[in-house]
Amino acid sequence: MDLSGLREEYGRGGLDLPDLAADPIEMFGRWLRQAADAGVHEPNAMVLSTATVEGGPSSRMVLLKGVGPDGFVFYTNHASRKGADLAVDARCALLFPWHPLERQVRVEGVASVLPDDEVEAYFRSRPRGAQLGAWASDQSRPVASRSALAASYARVQERFGDDSPLPVPPEWGGYRVSPEVVEFWQGRPSRMHDRLVYRRGDDGWTTERLAP
């Protein structure tokens, strides 16, 4: 397969500074709605990048489960690789890859742990199977086999039954990423893409254009 010749010409639209909303959260909401309306598969899927205390990077897909003036919310196991990374360095990056729209949004910010009441409210909203899965899986830790994982799920299912409410697992929770930099990227012909960036300062948000 010749990867050197694998490319597409972008040209679905453009983006200029007058097109931007007053703040990046409002602008993000606008693009997220457009991605959902366009039928993008899981438009709330994002790449979360973290680093160890030694600076080793790690990336994975997670789902955005909330967004507001304070930032971007996701849930996970605090004892997972990403949870361990964020415990030593709360700085992280998010990437929303909306390929069908020739768009991406890049976020750099700082993660903080969500309060227990927010975590419990979201956990209660999850399908029961996902709640059981959170109890059954020691996320990011070695497991002997698929059958061992299935056996763990079966034990949890037997423990809690089919109807009783499940408590939030002790290691399970969520994070809010407070953005400091948000870049909106729109593909353009001849690789002359539009890259418009919000940066948080003492007096609020400033915007600028970056060369592609």
Side-chain angles (χ1 to χ4, degrees):
M1 185 176 182
D2 181 13
L3 296 179
S4 66
L6 189 61
R7 62 175 59 86
E8 292 187 18
E9 184 76 341
Y10 298 146
R12 291 179 60 92
L15 184 66
D16 208 346
L17 288 172
D19 302 323
L20 295 180
D23 70 80
I25 299 299
E26 180 183 350
M27 186 68 189
F28 177 83
R30 183 187 302 173
W31 271 25
L32 178 62
R33 286 190 297 273
Q34 291 172 2
D37 291 344
V40 172
H41 178 65
E42 290 196 318
N44 61 326
M46 61 186 186
V47 179
L48 166 68
S49 297
T50 58
T52 65
V53 68
E54 294 86 8
S58 179
S59 297
R60 75 288 287 162
M61 279 283 192
V62 298
L63 294 179
L64 178 72
K65 287 300 179 179
V67 61
D70 294 334
F72 302 82
V73 171
F74 68 94
Y75 295 87
T76 189
N77 188 313
H78 289 307
S80 66
R81 166 72 185 271
K82 53 188 170 296
D85 285 353
L86 292 172
V88 297
D89 188 347
R91 294 172 299 173
C92 61
L94 311 175
L95 170 65
F96 295 86
W98 295 323
H99 301 300
L101 300 181
E102 299 171 358
R103 288 176 173 176
Q104 58 180 312
V105 178
R106 299 175 58 244
V107 180
E108 298 172 21
V110 178
S112 58
V113 176
L114 291 177
D116 291 344
D117 59 337
E118 287 189 43
V119 171
E120 183 171 3
Y122 173 70
F123 188 78
R124 297 271 178 253
S125 75
R126 303 182 89 202
R128 188 171 184 83
Q131 293 182 24
L132 291 169
W135 275 96
S137 174
D138 293 327
Q139 193 176 105
S140 297
R141 280 158 282 188
V143 61
S145 64
R146 182 72 202 186
S147 59
L149 194 60
S152 177
Y153 186 93
R155 287 193 298 271
V156 169
Q157 197 169 28
E158 182 179 2
R159 172 184 173 186
F160 291 108
D162 296 326
D163 301 314
S164 62
L166 272 69
V168 178
E171 295 181 338
W172 199 87
Y175 297 88
R176 178 175 286 106
V177 178
S178 176
E180 297 179 347
V181 179
V182 185
E183 176 184 332
F184 292 84
W185 186 102
Q186 177 72 61
R188 295 296 298 272
S190 302
R191 295 300 188 257
M192 297 298 287
H193 311 307
D194 290 323
R195 297 179 61 190
L196 303 185
V197 180
Y198 293 81
R199 298 185 189 277
R200 189 193 295 273
D202 294 338
D203 298 323
W205 294 100
T206 60
T207 56
E208 63 181 352
R209 175 182 285 273
L210 301 180

